[in-house]
Amino acid sequence: MAHPKISSEDLIGRVADVFRTQGYQAASLSRISQATGLEKASLYHRFPGGKEDMVAAVVSNLNQWFQDQVFTPLERSGKPAERVRFVAQRLREFYADGSKSCALDTLSLPGGSAALHEAVRGSLAALLQAFTGIAREGGASGAEARERAEQAIIEIQGSLVLARVLGDCKPFHRTVDRLPELLVGSRSI
Amino acid sequence: MAHPKISSEDLIGRVADVFRTQGYQAASLSRISQATGLEKASLYHRFPGGKEDMVAAVVSNLNQWFQDQVFTPLERSGKPAERVRFVAQRLREFYADGSKSCALDTLSLPGGSAALHEAVRGSLAALLQAFTGIAREGGASGAEARERAEQAIIEIQGSLVLARVLGDCKPFHRTVDRLPELLVGSRSI
DNA sequence: GTCTATAGCTTGATAGAC
DNA sequence: GTCTATCAAGCTATAGAC
């Protein structure tokens, strides 16, 4: 990689933005070229496998983000509620206060390869497992912990859809604020 | 309309299925042609304005469904909880037990015209208003009624996203079952 | 009302110069 | 590592026969 026009980090971020916003099918190479400042042939130099290669890198990058900002923090020591508060803040930043769609949502639409959809499924399953773990640590039984984790993901994804359609991010803020109570709180859900 | 190969009702339903599943951009005329059994030129005879015309008809049809199966039933007489139970059952059928994506979600992705996105926004806003109305009838104050309505839509949309990604419809079933409690129940949310 | 045929553009992808 | 140029295939849309 001698003198790249754009760093690998910047590149993957800009590519990810296009896929996250548009979904796989509508994320055309022209759009990606425009977003990155690289011509199509240059994109093929960075991602020899074309679109499938690009989206695989995007999902891999997203998995790394979840690992660093969600999974690892949730496994640290300290009060479970405090760990969830930390993660909730990371998620708030990640989704830009609710104004950004979730890539796991948009990339789950038809259009990509089976491998892509399996990867997306795996990413959300990992998040579900991490949420289930912290809910169990917070005192919930196995079944209720799983249910709280599902509920947390439902409310995050649902409030992001609501924000995208209505342009109103307040429900997302409420969801994020209530995340600690939902996952490790004592009230019944 | 002399001897149409497919009835207007069937046609709009099949076109709607393609848009709902794929989103606007990925819903190509080839796919719609395949789904309806009509050649592209025939589709232009039925929808002179092309794709934009088709998706407008789909949203209009969806609005009519909401009017008949949700808004009107919610305004009938009887116990609010019973009306919500009726509507919850209609929604369960509409989304095929959670296995179908919501068109208001998929059509809110970028790609369509500004008119389309405004129409989609209006449809969800109408649903929000109807839910707010029944929540208020159930005894919630103005602000809490609105919050309950938002929460109901969040949970429906979120559980549908979860179902699409993970292929697990049980969270959607739980959401639908809890809809009466969420909208007109007495417990705090 | 439906069809075949086609126009003009965009897509994903490749070849080869610098 | 990036570029211009190009290809075949797909796209939306239209013309015109039946």
Side-chain angles (χ1 to χ4, degrees):
Chain A
M1 297 203 206
H3 306 106
K5 192 174 173 182
I6 180 176
S7 77
S8 215
E9 198 180 355
D10 269 14
L11 177 61
I12 191 67
R14 288 172 188 268
V15 173
D17 257 5
V18 179
F19 279 112
R20 181 185 52 69
T21 308
Q22 311 267 342
Y24 181 80
Q25 188 109 354
S28 70
L29 293 190
S30 304
R31 279 191 182 84
I32 297 173
S33 170
Q34 209 174 343
T36 59
L38 289 181
E39 291 301 321
K40 286 187 255 181
S42 305
L43 290 171
Y44 273 88
H45 178 77
R46 302 288 198 102
F47 305 98
K51 263 180 86 172
E52 276 293 339
D53 206 347
M54 296 179 206
V55 81
V58 165
V59 173
S60 173
N61 193 60
L62 181 124
N63 284 339
Q64 190 60 55
W65 187 91
F66 274 122
Q67 183 62 55
D68 296 342
Q69 306 295 328
V70 179
F71 304 161
T72 297
L74 282 182
E75 285 168 355
R76 280 205 284 258
S77 58
K79 287 186 186 173
E82 276 176 17
R83 283 179 263 166
V84 174
R85 268 195 293 276
F86 177 86
V87 166
Q89 185 55 31
R90 298 290 83 70
L91 290 171
R92 185 195 273 264
E93 296 163 3
F94 187 64
Y95 294 114
D97 280 327
S99 65
K100 289 188 173 182
S101 297
C102 178
L104 299 179
D105 173 2
T106 58
L107 291 179
S108 70
L109 291 176
S113 68
L116 168 61
H117 290 117
E118 182 53 33
V120 167
R121 197 203 66 78
S123 298
L124 194 62
L127 182 62
L128 188 56
Q129 190 173 20
F131 279 178
T132 303
I134 195 72
R136 193 175 289 120
E137 250 196 284
S141 75
E144 191 191 322
R146 164 83 181 196
E147 205 170 307
R148 287 184 182 219
E150 286 173 352
Q151 191 66 20
I153 289 176
I154 283 172
E155 296 192 14
I156 291 169
Q157 295 294 334
S159 62
L160 288 173
V161 170
L162 193 61
R164 184 173 65 223
V165 177
L166 296 185
D168 179 8
C169 294
K170 286 192 290 294
F172 174 78
H173 297 157
R174 204 166 55 225
T175 293
V176 169
D177 287 343
R178 288 177 178 173
L179 206 58
E181 188 185 13
L182 177 55
L183 282 174
V184 300
S186 55
R187 75 174 172 81
S188 78
I189 60 173
Chain B
M1 296 201 207
H3 307 106
K5 192 174 174 182
I6 181 176
S7 78
S8 215
E9 198 180 355
D10 269 14
L11 178 60
I12 191 68
R14 289 173 189 269
V15 173
D17 257 6
V18 179
F19 279 112
R20 182 184 52 70
T21 307
Q22 311 267 343
Y24 181 80
Q25 187 112 356
S28 70
L29 293 189
S30 304
R31 267 188 258 269
I32 296 173
S33 170
Q34 210 175 342
T36 59
L38 289 181
E39 291 300 323
K40 288 185 244 180
S42 304
L43 289 171
Y44 273 89
H45 179 77
R46 303 288 200 102
F47 304 96
K51 263 181 85 172
E52 276 292 338
D53 206 348
M54 298 180 206
V55 80
V58 164
V59 173
S60 174
N61 192 61
L62 181 124
N63 284 340
Q64 191 60 56
W65 187 91
F66 275 122
Q67 184 62 55
D68 297 342
Q69 306 295 327
V70 178
F71 304 161
T72 298
L74 282 182
E75 284 168 356
R76 280 205 283 259
S77 59
K79 286 186 185 172
E82 275 174 19
R83 282 178 264 165
V84 175
R85 269 194 293 276
F86 177 87
V87 166
Q89 185 56 30
R90 298 289 83 71
L91 290 172
R92 186 196 274 264
E93 296 161 5
F94 187 65
Y95 295 114
D97 281 327
S99 66
K100 289 187 173 181
S101 297
C102 179
L104 299 180
D105 173 3
T106 59
L107 291 179
S108 70
L109 292 177
S113 68
L116 168 61
H117 290 118
E118 182 53 33
V120 167
R121 198 204 64 79
S123 298
L124 194 62
L127 182 62
L128 188 56
Q129 190 173 18
F131 278 179
T132 303
I134 195 71
R136 193 175 289 121
E137 249 195 283
S141 75
E144 190 189 322
R146 165 83 182 197
E147 204 170 309
R148 286 184 183 219
E150 286 173 352
Q151 190 67 19
I153 289 176
I154 283 173
E155 296 192 14
I156 291 169
Q157 295 294 335
S159 61
L160 288 173
V161 170
L162 194 61
R164 184 174 65 223
V165 177
L166 297 184
D168 179 7
C169 294
K170 285 193 290 293
F172 174 77
H173 297 157
R174 204 166 54 225
T175 293
V176 169
D177 288 343
R178 289 177 176 172
L179 206 58
E181 189 187 11
L182 177 55
L183 282 175
V184 300
S186 54
R187 77 175 171 80
S188 79
I189 59 174

